[in-house]
Amino acid sequence: MSSTTATPFVPAEIKHGSLKRERRWALIGAYIALAVFVLFFMIPPFHMLMTSLKSSAEIADLSGNPWIVSAPTLQNYWELLTEGNYLIHFRNSVIVTTCTVVISMIISVMAAFALARMKFWGSATLATGVFLTYLVPETLLFIPMFQIIGSLGLYNNMWAMVLIFPTLTVPFCTWIMIGYFASIPKELDEAALIDGAGHLQMLWKIFIPVALPGILAAMIFAFTVSWAAFIYPIAFLVSSDQMVLTVGIVSDLIRADTFQWGKIMAGALMAALPPLLVYAFLMDYYIAGLTAGATKG
Amino acid sequence: MAQVTLRKVVKAYEGGVQAVKGIDLDIADHEFVVLVGPSGCGKSTTLRMIAGLEEISDGEIAIGGKVINDVPPRDRDIAMVFQNYALYPHMTVFDNMAFGLMLRKFPKEEIKRRVDNAARILDITPLLERKPKALSGGQRQRVAMGRAIVRDPKVFLFDEPLSNLDAKLRVQMRTEIKKVHQTVRTTTVYVTHDQVEAMTLADRVVVMNGGIIEQVGSPQELYHNPKTRFVAGFIGSPAMNFIPGRLENGAGALRVHLPNDIVLPVPAERTARYQNLAGREILFGIRPEHLTEAKNLDRPHFAPMTATPEVTEPMGMETLVHFKMAGAEICGRVDPLAPAAPGQPLPMAVDMSNMHILDPQSGRVL
């Protein structure tokens, strides 16, 4: 046996700034940052959830802890779903949002295709113009919009929202789609042209499937804007049966200075559910890059 | 019948820039024609005008005797293969190939028969259910060709189809394309900037430069009888050597007099052709393969000279030697066994029967 085997093994000292060590610290840093981020953004929904599970008496009891429920109850949820107009507001929101998304997508996909691909005089200026309209805030527009809606006889009619919301969504959706369509290689439409496709077939059979991630992104945007819109509905809708969720909750559950906090929180939480589901399911498609393999690479 | 005819075809852009300056070209039925030239010479624009992807500013293009200036691409009965393949990424290989036929409302069985047939020709039958992103570059290019073949069009148009492939695959696909053409015999217009591709594939090569056609001819014709300095320099690799000099009568024969008092005799059979140029400044052109080691000096038209190579490039089957001659950078080709080494004087021979005499002003071969 040689003498070297008897020497106890001394691990090499980890050098300061070694790759492994740096990676570990980067990961720890990332997790801390993410934890802070998650905590910060989870506090409001958690508070909402806790409040929604409390009875009115418990909410009013100032000696209790606002973060803990002592006697959890589904009373608020039950009352919302069985009494009042909450379900009507929910239905109105679904109708208005669905129509808005469909209308926005039809208009913006076709507009974007024309602006991105069918080069015509002024198409570049028009594309910029479309985006500029998005920059005008709705707080500036709702007074003139009020006159238009009034003259159309659509005041206090939820279908007015179907008319108005696309003005908020179409410009930005068009802008997203122009970007997506522009990223599709020009040869793809030329190949389709030679294969015998007309412009509509090209749009339907090539552009829409290839740009699906972009379309989903635009749809998510349109959905979010329409579902969460507040200024127009509160300005134009007055009777409860015409209201959408955003206005319905604050109008019906706040009477003068009486705030039904438990129900407001329960209603808001349930109203947040559809966006949550949409994001959860569409995110994967949204991220998947469909254009891979179209051309070289 | 699918001949393609171009008559005074012009492509002008806004601002008066002309990409194609009034070209005439007749492509016969079943012919494989290659448009070749440097970037910006107008070859791709010409192809795209035939395809209908670019409007024709002036002149006429006819396919099968019918003028198609105002006919949309889909009604021209052409198929095109693009440089970046342009496969539809969301469709399988089968659907990619069938798309054109489906749009033309072919019956299902016929579509299947044609796609299967094309897949067999191109050896891509096992790939039919795959999406383009699961294919290699060479396979994608085959699919792009398959998409053209299934249509059985009057004319195939290829726009630099091999430029995105690596060198080895390019040679392989070149053979494939030639094989396919020999099988289907469709009139083909092929655009490339690679003169080797042009020479190997074409029945006839069209050399373009600056929006005009420099010369049209078979590969051999362009190689041996170039009409202009551009063609002489563009076709052949390494390129032809050019040395400015003078033609003169001396010692009872016509001679090429180059700087540094290098004098090369003009072969007797070409004396008559050049006699009236005696005393004029000329450009002497000679290909590297006609500047070889001194082994054929007993032949009458081989003139001796000595070169001192600055760089030698062994290629295996030959060695390229770069040296200075009469003040110009010259490349010669010698046998790999020749004693060529940098700095070592090497006796060489100029094959004067293959020389070219050009007018230095017009660039025309005289």
Side-chain angles (χ1 to χ4, degrees):
Chain A
M1 198 180 266
S2 73
S3 61
T4 48
T5 51
T7 322
F9 175 71
V10 182
E13 191 188 337
I14 296 172
K15 281 183 201 154
H16 183 71
S18 76
L19 214 58
K20 205 173 157 190
R21 195 186 160 105
E22 272 188 14
R23 188 180 144 71
R24 201 174 61 214
W25 277 112
L27 274 178
I28 292 173
Y31 275 114
I32 292 174
L34 281 172
V36 170
F37 190 79
V38 168
L39 206 66
F40 182 76
F41 282 96
M42 287 311 286
I43 288 173
F46 177 74
H47 184 252
M48 285 165 74
L49 180 69
M50 289 301 113
T51 312
S52 73
L53 295 173
K54 291 176 183 177
S55 62
S56 300
E58 194 180 341
I59 296 169
D61 180 8
L62 290 178
S63 64
N65 187 332
W67 301 101
I68 296 167
V69 193
S70 53
T73 169
L74 289 174
Q75 186 67 24
N76 291 320
Y77 291 90
W78 181 249
E79 281 177 13
L80 265 186
L81 295 174
T82 52
E83 302 162 15
N85 281 341
Y86 185 78
L87 283 179
I88 292 173
H89 300 154
F90 207 103
R91 187 203 64 192
N92 291 351
S93 267
V94 169
I95 293 172
V96 167
T97 300
T98 309
C99 293
T100 304
V101 169
V102 170
I103 292 171
S104 307
M105 291 328 292
I106 292 173
I107 297 176
S108 59
V109 165
M110 299 219 287
F113 181 69
L115 290 171
R117 275 306 204 259
M118 302 161 76
K119 293 281 168 233
F120 51 89
W121 189 84
S123 57
T125 322
L126 208 57
T128 317
V130 165
F131 186 65
L132 286 179
T133 61
Y134 173 67
L135 300 179
V136 183
E138 44 188 315
T139 37
L140 275 182
L141 284 177
F142 83 93
I143 293 170
M145 207 67 104
F146 195 94
Q147 286 192 314
I148 296 171
I149 293 301
S151 64
L152 288 173
L154 287 171
Y155 180 67
N156 191 26
N157 184 335
M158 71 163 188
W159 292 102
M161 299 302 110
V162 176
L163 206 61
I164 294 173
F165 287 168
T167 65
L168 302 173
T169 56
V170 165
F172 193 69
C173 289
T174 307
W175 192 251
I176 295 181
M177 294 316 302
I178 288 176
Y180 246 88
F181 286 161
S183 74
I184 295 176
K186 192 101 186 67
E187 285 82 0
L188 223 55
D189 24 329
E190 293 180 342
L193 266 184
I194 290 175
D195 263 343
H199 280 300
L200 271 182
Q201 280 169 316
M202 199 194 295
L203 175 65
W204 189 245
K205 297 207 158 127
I206 310 289
F207 273 72
I208 290 182
V210 173
L212 207 56
I215 292 176
L216 285 174
M219 278 174 79
I220 291 176
F221 172 80
F223 173 86
T224 312
V225 165
S226 169
W227 191 262
F230 186 74
I231 290 184
Y232 287 139
I234 203 152
F236 300 148
L237 303 175
V238 285
S239 57
S240 185
D241 66 322
Q242 293 296 319
M243 283 179 179
V244 292
L245 275 173
T246 43
V247 232
I249 292 173
V250 293
S251 309
D252 278 15
L253 303 177
I254 303 170
R255 289 275 177 243
D257 56 352
T258 315
F259 287 69
Q260 305 183 46
W261 282 119
K263 279 199 207 171
I264 291 175
M265 293 306 175
L269 269 183
M270 284 195 285
L273 213 58
L276 202 69
L277 291 176
V278 166
Y279 277 80
F281 285 109
L282 291 187
M283 264 308 169
D284 284 348
Y285 293 100
Y286 174 46
I287 292 164
L290 257 180
T291 46
T295 57
K296 80 168 204 175
Chain B
M1 289 296 280
Q3 63 281 66
V4 179
T5 318
L6 280 73
R7 286 280 167 268
K8 307 223 173 323
V9 171
V10 174
K11 178 67 196 183
Y13 291 104
E14 278 171 45
V17 182
Q18 286 198 341
V20 177
K21 299 171 181 165
I23 58 171
D24 288 292
L25 182 64
D26 286 289
I27 299 166
D29 199 12
H30 304 313
E31 198 176 18
F32 197 122
V33 163
V34 176
L35 307 183
V36 68
S39 302
C41 71
K43 56 189 191 300
S44 274
T45 311
T46 305
L47 188 82
R48 292 169 60 80
M49 283 193 284
I50 299 174
L53 299 173
E54 298 271 356
E55 274 181 36
I56 302 159
S57 308
D58 199 9
E60 240 176 44
I61 295 181
I63 295 177
K66 188 180 153 221
V67 176
I68 43 95
N69 282 31
D70 297 320
V71 177
R74 61 174 159 183
D75 298 328
R76 293 189 180 195
D77 204 2
I78 47 157
M80 187 155 169
V81 177
F82 294 87
Q83 180 179 353
N84 60 9
Y85 325 129
L87 300 179
Y88 310 123
H90 57 296
M91 295 185 193
T92 63
V93 168
F94 184 95
D95 291 339
N96 260 286
M97 287 163 75
F99 187 62
L101 300 177
M102 280 182 333
L103 289 177
R104 286 176 166 76
K105 306 245 176 336
F106 275 64
K108 276 223 166 67
E109 308 78 57
E110 174 67 7
I111 293 178
K112 187 162 169 26
R113 194 186 63 75
R114 285 196 185 197
V115 172
D116 286 344
N117 188 36
R120 204 163 27 75
I121 294 175
L122 294 162
D123 207 12
I124 50 172
T125 309
L127 309 177
L128 284 177
E129 293 312 312
R130 290 206 202 161
K131 292 261 177 79
K133 65 173 172 237
L135 302 177
S136 69
Q139 289 169 334
R140 286 180 202 175
Q141 195 51 270
R142 275 166 211 261
V143 176
M145 273 165 64
R147 190 165 64 180
I149 292 173
V150 292
R151 293 256 320 278
D152 190 21
K154 281 192 187 139
V155 185
F156 280 156
L157 304 173
F158 287 86
D159 190 5
E160 309 219 13
L162 306 182
S163 301
N164 282 353
L165 302 178
D166 62 56
K168 199 174 163 192
L169 203 54
R170 201 177 302 170
V171 175
Q172 195 187 329
M173 286 303 293
R174 206 166 70 198
T175 323
E176 291 284 328
I177 291 176
K178 197 156 192 176
K179 234 188 258 171
V180 167
H181 182 253
Q182 281 163 4
T183 315
V184 299
R185 305 292 302 151
T186 308
T187 311
T188 302
V189 187
Y190 186 109
V191 160
T192 179
H193 61 267
D194 179 354
Q195 53 101 12
V196 179
E197 245 170 66
M199 299 286 278
T200 48
L201 284 169
D203 294 328
R204 274 195 309 154
V205 179
V206 178
V207 183
M208 292 186 70
N209 183 33
I212 57 157
I213 292 178
E214 290 267 345
Q215 191 174 351
V216 183
S218 70
Q220 291 297 330
E221 206 178 319
L222 291 182
Y223 183 81
H224 292 292
N225 297 310
K227 290 218 173 81
T228 63
R229 178 177 180 170
F230 178 81
V231 177
F234 191 79
I235 300 287
S237 176
M240 187 187 282
N241 302 297
F242 296 104
I243 311 166
R246 224 149 53 85
L247 268 180
E248 58 181 29
N249 276 311
L254 197 59
R255 310 185 305 184
V256 177
H257 192 144
L258 302 178
N260 301 351
D261 275 333
I262 297 172
V263 176
L264 300 167
V266 174
E269 67 269 20
R270 293 174 84 170
T271 308
R273 181 168 158 194
Y274 298 135
Q275 191 58 59
N276 58 349
L277 299 172
R280 267 183 59 179
E281 299 290 325
I282 51 112
L283 205 55
F284 173 72
I286 189 91
R287 291 197 184 277
E289 45 272 48
H290 303 131
L291 271 172
T292 60
E293 75 280 12
K295 62 177 179 187
N296 290 319
L297 282 174
D298 50 334
R299 295 193 192 168
H301 43 74
F302 274 68
M305 59 162 288
T306 302
T308 308
E310 290 173 341
V311 175
T312 61
E313 295 177 323
M315 309 286 283
M317 59 177 286
E318 67 196 10
T319 297
L320 300 180
V321 291
H322 297 270
F323 55 92
K324 274 217 170 65
M325 176 180 168
E329 298 282 347
I330 300 298
C331 175
R333 267 182 153 139
V334 300
D335 191 277
L337 297 176
Q344 302 288 317
L346 179 70
M348 291 184 73
V350 188
D351 179 359
M352 293 299 284
S353 66
N354 279 302
M355 69 166 188
H356 301 271
I357 302 288
L358 294 86
D359 180 346
Q361 267 83 47
S362 68
R364 313 256 350 141
V365 175
L366 301 168

